[in-house]
Amino acid sequence: MEKRSSSSAAPAIREPGRRTYLMCRPAYYAVEYAINPWMDTSTPVDTARACAQWETLAEVYAELGHEVLRIEPEPGLPDMVYAANGAFVVDGIAYGARFRHAERAPEADAHEKWYRAADWTFVEPEYTNEGEGDFTYLPGRELILAGWGFRTDARAHAEAADVFGRQVVSLRLVDPSYYHLDTALAPLDDERIAYYPEAFAPGSRLLLERLFPDAVIADAEDAAAFGLNFVSDGTHVIVNAEATGMTRKLQDAGYEPVPVDLSELKKGGGSVKCCTAELRR
Ligand code: ARG
């Protein structure tokens, strides 16, 4: 992995911006209920191993020059490690989550407390939405992309447009394995995305083709290896180590993949992106 140099690069070379990420250590991680097809309550989970993998991810971000903030894990909330679901943050505004399943509902309060204590503008949601799990933002296109079909209520898309004063593109997810937008689509940089077309309804696929003709297209194998659940700083793409095919595609597209093993976290139906909330000021 290449470290970001502190000296200023030549103007033509685009330095990766310093991102701010919020993460939650999987201290109480377990698979105690099954709310997505990846979760199997009979599979043993190694919490210590999950913590070690998670620490590696946090270290990778720090080494790449990003700021990593932490929210305290809470006992009884085994999915809290998937910090992306706690809110969606753009322009310094945190639009709070409202979880679909009762098991995760209290996570929204924990995140709300965190944002309020850290002095972010917090907006309470009226409609069900799972934060960055189903929302992402492309600054170069000034577009919010939003998923619905399994977790987030489509009315939350209109709510988000109203909260942020920004355009929202609604995309319908149709494959239960890809129940959150961030399992099927991810920004590569300010303008470009990667996605798995089969996870979307025909109209949404057409919309994605029209908006993003230069997208990196993932196949079934890439998606199943959580290869779309990555975090990109525009240069480096932190991606689940199992997603070897996706890693090659990212490289061919001009990005620098940084594979991280998050196999324990996959048992809960999440990977790199699910563990990472991006806080945009
Ligand atoms: N077990 C969690 C759930 O089903 C996983 C959440 C993954 N997070 C994400 N951003 N996709 O809710």
Side-chain angles (χ1 to χ4, degrees):
M1 188 193 355
E2 207 185 21
K3 274 206 186 169
R4 189 157 79 102
S5 78
S6 50
S7 60
S8 57
I13 299 166
R14 191 164 167 277
E15 267 215 306
R18 187 177 192 237
R19 310 286 166 115
T20 299
Y21 299 129
L22 177 65
M23 298 179 69
C24 182
R25 194 168 177 272
Y28 306 103
Y29 173 64
V31 180
E32 290 166 357
Y33 48 80
I35 55 172
N36 70 57
W38 305 92
M39 299 175 89
D40 176 355
T41 53
S42 63
T43 306
V45 166
D46 185 337
T47 306
R49 188 156 179 258
C51 285
Q53 293 177 341
W54 181 93
E55 290 291 353
T56 302
L57 178 62
E59 277 161 25
V60 165
Y61 289 141
E63 276 168 33
L64 290 170
H66 303 304
E67 177 183 25
V68 179
L69 306 174
R70 297 181 178 213
I71 177 170
E72 227 16 72
E74 292 187 13
L77 297 177
D79 272 338
M80 208 176 155
V81 59
Y82 305 112
N85 300 127
F88 174 51
V89 187
V90 184
D91 303 326
I93 303 168
Y95 168 52
R98 198 182 173 108
F99 285 83
R100 170 75 56 188
H101 299 98
E103 293 91 334
R104 297 196 67 186
E107 293 180 42
D109 302 329
H111 279 265
E112 175 172 352
K113 275 197 204 101
W114 189 91
Y115 283 102
R116 289 196 192 278
D119 259 344
W120 292 79
T121 302
F122 185 86
V123 178
E124 240 173 274
E126 184 174 346
Y127 296 105
T128 300
N129 82 87
E130 298 198 348
E132 265 211 324
D134 274 320
F135 284 105
T136 193
Y137 180 59
L138 281 176
R141 304 286 299 264
E142 295 203 49
L143 279 184
I144 291 172
L145 307 185
W148 66 284
F150 295 101
R151 300 291 181 87
T152 294
D153 186 320
R155 285 173 294 180
H157 297 183
E159 190 172 33
D162 190 46
V163 166
F164 297 109
R166 294 190 175 279
Q167 242 185 99
V168 178
V169 176
S170 278
L171 302 163
R172 182 154 70 94
L173 297 161
V174 293
D175 182 335
S177 292
Y178 307 109
Y179 55 93
H180 274 145
L181 184 70
D182 73 1
T183 62
L185 179 153
L188 287 160
D189 53 33
D190 290 354
E191 276 147 41
R192 206 170 169 205
I193 63 165
Y195 70 99
Y196 173 49
E198 281 75 15
F200 295 91
S204 297
R205 281 172 71 165
L206 197 57
L207 186 50
L208 286 169
E209 281 164 28
R210 285 180 171 146
L211 285 171
F212 303 104
D214 64 344
V216 171
I217 301 296
D219 62 23
E221 205 182 310
D222 302 327
F226 270 80
L228 287 161
N229 198 246
F230 62 68
V231 169
S232 174
D233 63 16
T235 303
H236 313 95
V237 182
I238 316 359
V239 60
N240 189 32
E242 281 168 76
T244 50
M246 195 61 203
T247 298
R248 267 191 304 278
K249 285 179 193 170
L250 293 166
Q251 217 151 21
D252 292 346
Y255 299 90
E256 193 183 318
V258 182
V260 174
D261 177 16
L262 284 184
S263 52
E264 279 307 309
L265 277 317
K266 199 181 169 211
K267 296 174 182 172
S271 191
V272 177
K273 178 65 193 81
C274 300
C275 293
T276 314
E278 184 174 347
L279 311 190
R280 305 168 187 86
R281 289 183 205 275

